[in-house]
Amino acid sequence: MKYVSIVLALFSSAAAAQDAMTAAEFEAYVSGKTLFYEADGRRYGVEEYLSDRRVRWAFLDGSGQCKDGYWYEEAGQICFVYEDNPGPQCWSFYESGRGLSAKFESEPDGRLLYEIENTNEEMLCLGPDVGV
């Protein structure tokens, strides 16, 4: 048990020492891509990164509902604003050999997301009003 605690502490320290991506680095990494994220070991959401810093987000909860928005840099963080929520949601992004990781900075104990899949395909948005 003590060994596990030491390993976790070292991992946390290494992640904290890593510099967050700049807006230019983030834009170069995500432009034209669709990234799938996990949180707490479960598929969480997908985001399509469009031109002019526009985005399309959907939770992977089976609803198929997408939210359009945009991102910008503020105080070293990448902030997102979506059509259904005008308040910014700010994140710090980090790049590793396995892809992106992100820490939600808008809350004290912010959620951690990890990139699990990367594609150049468009998202499929079904929404609540699809059908006959």
Side-chain angles (χ1 to χ4, degrees):
M1 184 68 164
K2 188 175 185 179
Y3 175 75
V4 171
S5 297
I6 292 170
V7 170
L8 288 175
L10 290 174
F11 178 75
S12 297
S13 297
Q18 182 183 15
D19 289 333
M21 295 174 81
T22 65
E25 291 168 333
F26 179 75
E27 187 167 32
Y29 186 92
V30 302
S31 290
K33 295 180 183 174
T34 300
L35 302 182
F36 290 78
Y37 294 98
E38 75 171 8
D40 303 319
R42 300 162 104 173
R43 293 173 66 82
Y44 182 76
V46 57
E47 190 145 51
E48 183 176 5
Y49 298 90
L50 307 163
S51 61
D52 298 324
R53 296 186 173 185
R54 293 176 302 116
V55 294
R56 182 168 295 127
W57 169 264
F59 287 102
L60 294 174
D61 59 5
S63 71
Q65 294 182 4
C66 295
K67 301 173 183 185
D68 291 323
Y70 63 92
W71 69 269
Y72 62 93
E73 185 273 335
E74 183 174 299
Q77 297 175 0
I78 306 298
C79 299
F80 296 83
V81 175
Y82 297 98
E83 61 191 352
D84 66 334
N85 183 0
Q89 299 177 35
C90 298
W91 299 78
S92 292
F93 284 86
Y94 304 90
E95 185 179 3
S96 72
R98 291 191 228 157
L100 291 185
S101 61
K103 181 178 186 306
F104 189 48
E105 300 289 1
S106 295
E107 293 180 356
D109 292 323
R111 177 176 298 280
L112 296 174
L113 298 182
Y114 300 94
E115 176 187 345
I116 55 171
E117 188 178 339
N118 173 332
T119 180
N120 292 328
E121 297 179 20
E122 291 183 23
M123 286 174 51
L124 177 61
C125 297
L126 300 176
D129 300 324
V130 175
V132 189

